[in-house]
């Protein structure tokens, strides 16, 4: 098992007690932190979806539906009555069977509408998953940084030799980096296995994604991107796409040139 498979399995089942996953996580503290983050996110998501239904909502909906249907049936009877002999007219009869049938129809229509909504949501999810490659790489990079925002708080140094051990798996080598590396992991970047690292700079922690691009280049979207907190730049190369993300105002071009100038490919 590698880190990519580990993250995929934990993302799918954050509370898994699989022995293989547990033993793999025990080998590195950052893997256990990832499990904790995913479990916290899973709990937060469950709480967000657990929206209580207002008391008496179902009864109020059924009562309003029945009243509306009864009014419609009474109005229809009155329009169909002959106006010739008003003395012979009798009060409108109860139309419980009409109300009941109408209510059942409305309930069925509501159920169909809810089912359709679910199908639309599932379809949208599947479509977005299939079209993941078309999603702008800059937006994906920002989402990735926020998802692992705790990586920016790391301070323990990681040697360049350790970085190159992982980078060699992707066929690359780094001669140097502009600052002390404090975070290093393989990552799944839009379906491609890449290197995710954070290093310290004079402008705060900077995130770098190095994603081999021989099989797939993330050519959709602008080279430069930003939001209210971060900005980034994508360097699209022949061998890899390098994405740099830093706090607003950081001179990305200087760091981008230094990083890409230090990358060598082994084959």
């Amino acid at each position: 098992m590698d880190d990519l498979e580990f993250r995929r399995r934990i993302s799918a089942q954050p509370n898994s007690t699989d022995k293989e996953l547990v033993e793999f996580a025990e080998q590195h503290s950052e893997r256990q932190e990832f499990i904790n983050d995913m479990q916290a996110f899973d709990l937060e998501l469950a709480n967000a979806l657990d929206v209580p239904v207002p008391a008496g909502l179902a009864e109020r909906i059924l009562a309003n539906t029945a009243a509306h249907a009864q009014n419609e049936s009474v109005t229809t009877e009155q329009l169909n009555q002959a106006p010739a002999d008003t003395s012979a007219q009798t009060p409108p009869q109860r139309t419980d069977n009409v109300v009941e049938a109408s209510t059942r129809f409305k309930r069925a229509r509501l159920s169909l509408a809810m089912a359709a909504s679910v199908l639309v949501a599932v379809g949208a999810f599947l479509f977005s998953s299939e079209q993941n490659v078309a999603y702008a790489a800059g937006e994906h990079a920002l989402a990735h940084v926020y998802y692992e925002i705790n990586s920016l708080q790391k301070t323990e140094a990681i040697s360049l030799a350790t970085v190159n051990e992982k980078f060699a798996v992707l066929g690359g080598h780094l001669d140097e980096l502009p600052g002390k590396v404090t975070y290093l992991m393989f990552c799944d970047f839009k379906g491609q296995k890449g290197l995710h690292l954070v290093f310290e700079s004079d402008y705060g922690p900077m995130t770098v994604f190095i994603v081999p691009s021989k099989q797939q280049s993330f050519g959709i979207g602008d080279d430069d991107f930003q939001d209210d907190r971060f900005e980034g730049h994508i360097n699209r190369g022949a061998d890899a796409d390098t994405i740099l993300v830093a706090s607003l105002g950081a001179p990305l071009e200087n760091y981008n040139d230094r990083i890409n100038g230090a990358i060598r490919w082994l084959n």
Side-chain angles (χ1 to χ4, degrees):
M1 180 191 302
D2 58 14
D3 286 293
L4 181 61
E5 181 185 355
F6 169 75
R7 285 175 170 250
R8 284 178 174 171
R9 290 175 63 178
I10 291 299
S11 297
Q13 294 181 307
N15 299 300
S16 174
T17 57
D18 184 272
K19 182 179 179 181
E20 183 182 15
L21 287 174
V22 173
E23 292 179 349
F24 191 73
E26 290 175 348
Q27 297 173 12
H28 202 294
S29 61
E30 290 182 350
R31 294 171 186 159
Q32 187 58 53
E33 290 179 7
F34 180 73
I35 292 179
N36 295 338
D37 290 342
M38 289 303 300
Q39 289 177 345
F41 176 74
D42 189 61
L43 179 60
E44 183 179 352
L45 182 61
N47 291 336
L49 294 176
D50 186 19
V51 180
V53 177
L57 177 61
E59 290 76 6
R60 292 199 300 271
I61 292 176
L62 293 176
N64 289 337
T65 301
H68 178 71
Q70 185 171 6
N71 290 338
E72 285 184 345
S73 63
V74 170
T75 302
T76 302
E77 277 195 29
Q78 291 174 342
L79 291 175
N80 292 333
Q81 287 176 348
D85 185 4
T86 57
S87 61
Q89 292 181 0
T90 59
Q93 300 296 316
R94 289 180 55 83
T95 53
D96 292 340
N97 58 330
V98 176
V99 174
E100 183 181 355
S102 176
T103 302
R104 286 202 305 269
F105 173 75
K106 292 180 183 293
R107 289 179 186 171
R109 186 168 60 182
L110 178 60
S111 299
L112 288 173
M114 293 176 65
S117 299
V118 172
L119 288 175
V120 170
V122 172
F125 172 79
L126 293 175
F127 180 80
S128 63
S129 299
E130 292 174 356
Q131 298 299 321
N132 189 40
V133 173
Y135 188 63
E139 297 176 8
H140 183 86
L142 287 174
H144 204 137
V145 169
Y146 281 113
Y147 183 72
E148 299 196 35
I149 197 68
N150 290 337
S151 66
L152 303 182
Q153 309 300 322
K154 306 294 183 181
T155 57
E156 185 177 350
I158 299 174
S159 69
L160 185 59
T162 302
V163 173
N164 281 322
E165 284 179 8
K166 284 189 176 290
F167 199 11
V169 175
L170 303 179
H173 178 89
L174 276 169
D175 291 332
E176 62 176 354
L177 274 173
K180 181 179 73 173
V181 178
T182 56
Y183 183 80
L184 172 68
M185 289 291 288
F186 286 124
C187 70
D188 182 353
F189 196 94
K190 292 169 66 63
Q192 289 286 98
K193 185 175 183 177
L195 197 65
H196 176 184
L197 55 88
V198 177
F199 67 90
E200 293 181 353
S201 76
D202 294 335
Y203 299 86
M206 291 190 176
T207 300
V208 181
F209 300 101
I210 304 176
V211 188
S213 59
K214 289 184 177 180
Q215 296 181 347
Q216 171 182 301
S217 177
F218 306 114
I220 293 177
D222 296 331
D223 290 345
D224 298 296
F225 56 91
Q226 70 176 61
D227 64 4
D228 294 335
R229 180 176 178 181
F230 298 107
E231 61 181 311
H233 177 78
I234 304 171
N235 182 77
R236 295 182 169 93
D239 296 294
D241 290 344
T242 306
I243 302 99
L244 177 62
V245 182
S247 298
L248 291 175
L252 293 180
E253 62 280 359
N254 296 340
Y255 287 92
N256 182 69
D257 291 342
R258 292 175 63 182
I259 292 170
N260 285 282
I263 294 177
R264 290 190 292 107
W265 296 99
L266 305 177
N267 47 31

